[in-house]
Amino acid sequence: MMQHLPSRRTLLKTGACGFGYLAFAGLSTWAAEKDNPLAPKKTHFKAKARHVIFLCMEGAPSHVDTFDYKPKLASLDGQSMPRARTFAKLLASPWKFAQHGQGGLWLSELFPELSKRADDLCLLRGMCTDVPAHPQAFLQMHTGVFQFKRPSMGAWTFYGLGTGNENLPGFVTVSPPLQNGGPSNYGSAFLPAVYQGTPIAGGFRPFGGGGFGPRGGDGGGAVSNIRNPRQSSDAQRMQLDFIQSLNHEALERDPHDEGVEGAIGSFELAFRMQKDLPKVMDLGNETAATRALYGVGEQATDTFGRQCLLARRLVEAGVRFVEITSNGWDHHRDLKNALGNKAQSVDKPIAGLLRDLKSRGLLQDTLVLWGGEFGRTPYAQGGDGRDHNHRGFTTWMAGGGVKGGFSHGATDDYGYEAVEGKVHIHDWHATILHLLGLDHEKLTYRYAGRDMRLTDVKGNVVKEIVS
């Protein structure tokens, strides 16, 4: 039997229906995302990473004593720095540097355990930012700007990707910063409230049996009000349903009230978190070998070790963005003792985190970030300290699609200013989003009459570090 070809009119009708179907599918997807802001979202292109762990060193660690080897500081120790606008004298690093890994990265003896993971590290030695003051630089590192209230990069990540587990927050901040902007560093600003970070205090209390009690001085270490001892789960559900009915009535009166929309989502997430989050935070089922890997139980490393172990568990459970803050890196004096103690407190936990993530097949999907708001001067302050330096410093990345055992950029011979491969904070943000499959110019939110974004109107992806 001879098959009839469709007429031109039939073909156009079919095509029109096809385009209509595509439009309907797009609107349906948009509606679903609006109804459930936590739902996983499509990336702009194929992602290298699915999660982020940001190891935030608040106070600005000295790059010339950690990851930026400068032999001239030793040979010119005590002399004035050429062309400097200061009479301060150059200060040699008290610590030796050596090459590590197949890439031959120069790393300080401050990090003996992390040095064993050198082939996982991608050093950004040409970092720079705008202002050498902690509040402004810290806020800019987290939100892209310091002049206005803006969403944090964790909130932008959560907004752009959704979550991998709707019973857990998509963005968690462990031991959140109390100064230098405080909650603004993990807030959502004009984004819906559901995208803000969930703060977890620095220490840990056990949830039921098998958890770890806090060491002396660790603090409470839990999410506030995660349990309601006065009401059963069913009673809470009834109460929440009544409150949500009032919220929905308010939303019907004003469909564009984003505050009410955010409250509805946040209340529901908080209710679901009561069941799953305590299980994730209970470290009691981890083996003794795993705890030892992170330095849990050792006086110097116990606190940060627990936090890094929790970060791995959160990522494993589907949380998109985890930030851990280690404060006390502002070393204007007593550099040798103070920086030595801080490095010791994080060295083994960070090395353990990288090793654990890699052994579980998580490092390839998890972008680990390390760094502070700026660096320190190559010259001395008060004889045994270093002052602020925003012109050049070092951060590093690992996993999540970056080249391991690799160094990008450089400061001058003294470590004072970035001179090669400069990476501004806007470029850093653009690169992080790129590795997550997000185009920093397309990840926008309409507010105050313009399309806002993390990188404002700047930022370039550092493609040289992408594997």
Side-chain angles (χ1 to χ4, degrees):
M1 178 183 288
M2 186 171 156
Q3 196 169 14
H4 293 285
L5 294 172
S7 66
R8 183 169 58 181
R9 180 173 295 180
T10 303
L11 185 62
L12 288 172
K13 280 185 177 181
T14 306
C17 291
F19 286 123
Y21 173 77
L22 289 174
F24 173 75
L27 289 171
S28 299
T29 302
W30 175 83
E33 290 180 353
K34 185 174 176 63
D35 290 339
N36 182 11
L38 305 180
K41 299 175 184 176
K42 290 184 178 180
T43 57
H44 297 135
F45 43 82
K46 187 176 180 180
K48 298 277 187 178
R50 297 171 56 238
H51 310 275
V52 175
I53 297 176
F54 177 26
L55 307 172
C56 177
M57 308 292 110
E58 184 180 16
S62 169
H63 57 295
V64 294
D65 294 299
T66 53
F67 299 104
D68 195 3
Y69 179 43
K70 297 299 174 186
K72 270 200 172 183
L73 290 185
S75 62
L76 298 177
D77 183 38
Q79 300 183 32
S80 297
M81 191 174 78
R83 300 181 303 278
R85 297 181 180 178
T86 176
F87 295 105
K89 306 300 183 182
L90 290 171
L91 177 65
S93 177
W95 297 277
K96 296 179 181 178
F97 280 72
Q99 289 181 287
H100 295 272
Q102 295 181 357
L105 295 181
W106 286 95
L107 305 175
S108 168
E109 62 179 337
L110 278 171
F111 295 100
E113 296 298 325
L114 184 59
S115 294
K116 299 174 185 177
R117 312 302 309 176
D119 287 332
D120 293 325
L121 305 183
C122 179
L123 304 181
L124 300 175
R125 286 175 165 152
M127 293 292 302
C128 58
T129 189
D130 291 339
V131 180
H134 293 293
Q136 292 89 338
F138 201 73
L139 270 172
Q140 187 173 26
M141 178 175 66
H142 282 87
T143 70
V145 299
F146 57 82
Q147 300 95 332
F148 309 103
K149 189 174 182 179
R150 293 287 185 265
S152 61
M153 64 173 172
W156 277 113
T157 299
F158 188 9
Y159 165 68
L161 297 178
T163 182
N165 186 336
E166 292 188 1
N167 294 331
L168 293 175
F171 172 22
V172 171
T173 174
V174 182
S175 188
L178 301 177
Q179 300 178 351
N180 298 322
S184 293
N185 292 292
Y186 55 90
S188 59
F190 48 72
L191 292 178
V194 73
Y195 296 119
Q196 68 187 338
T198 296
I200 296 177
F204 294 91
R205 279 199 301 259
F207 291 97
F212 298 145
R215 295 179 59 86
D218 273 0
V223 177
S224 300
N225 305 313
I226 193 64
R227 282 184 172 173
N228 187 338
R230 300 177 182 176
Q231 287 186 326
S232 67
S233 179
D234 290 341
Q236 289 181 68
R237 182 69 259 180
M238 291 178 62
Q239 184 182 63
L240 180 59
D241 286 343
F242 173 69
I243 294 173
Q244 295 293 58
S245 68
L246 299 178
N247 285 334
H248 282 290
E249 287 180 8
L251 195 60
E252 287 179 5
R253 291 193 297 270
D254 185 1
H256 303 293
D257 191 333
E258 295 173 354
V260 175
E261 281 187 328
I264 292 172
S266 297
F267 289 171
E268 291 294 341
L269 174 60
F271 179 78
R272 296 194 301 270
M273 279 168 52
Q274 293 180 91
K275 179 182 177 182
D276 284 15
L277 188 57
K279 296 177 183 177
V280 177
M281 289 186 63
D282 185 355
L283 312 182
N285 61 352
E286 296 289 343
T287 66
T290 299
R291 283 177 275 172
L293 183 66
Y294 286 83
V296 172
E298 299 178 28
Q299 184 173 4
T301 56
D302 184 80
T303 297
F304 201 73
R306 292 174 186 272
Q307 294 169 0
C308 286
L309 180 53
L310 175 61
R312 189 222 79 203
R313 291 173 63 86
L314 288 167
V315 163
E316 206 169 26
V319 175
R320 289 290 187 197
F321 196 106
V322 181
E323 178 171 351
I324 308 173
T325 302
S326 171
N327 57 24
W329 292 84
D330 190 18
H331 301 132
H332 291 274
R333 60 184 178 85
D334 196 24
L335 179 71
K336 189 170 183 178
N337 292 320
L339 180 55
N341 290 336
K342 287 306 300 182
Q344 184 184 10
S345 72
V346 302
D347 176 40
K348 188 172 185 178
I350 295 174
L353 173 65
L354 295 179
R355 180 178 173 183
D356 200 15
L357 288 171
K358 198 164 191 175
S359 67
R360 296 169 185 269
L362 294 171
L363 187 59
Q364 62 184 3
D365 295 326
T366 304
L367 178 63
V368 181
L369 311 170
W370 182 97
E373 59 267 40
F374 42 70
R376 316 300 296 194
T377 56
Y379 51 80
Q381 182 182 34
D384 62 348
R386 298 192 191 276
D387 204 354
H388 302 170
N389 181 15
H390 67 295
R391 293 180 174 87
F393 59 101
T394 299
T395 65
W396 59 256
M397 301 181 179
V402 298
K403 296 176 181 177
F406 186 74
S407 177
H408 174 76
T411 54
D412 58 34
D413 290 341
Y414 310 98
Y416 182 68
E417 184 174 5
V419 294
E420 295 178 15
K422 286 187 178 182
V423 178
H424 188 273
I425 286 296
H426 293 308
D427 306 323
W428 190 65
H429 287 150
T431 305
I432 292 168
L433 294 179
H434 176 83
L435 292 166
L436 293 166
L438 299 171
D439 185 332
H440 72 103
E441 294 182 345
K442 294 180 179 178
L443 183 66
T444 62
Y445 191 88
R446 193 72 176 174
Y447 175 75
R450 57 174 286 209
D451 291 331
M452 298 290 188
R453 65 187 217 212
L454 174 60
T455 53
D456 196 30
V457 294
K458 304 175 183 177
N460 295 294
V461 175
V462 186
K463 295 181 179 179
E464 293 87 346
I465 71 170
V466 179
S467 62

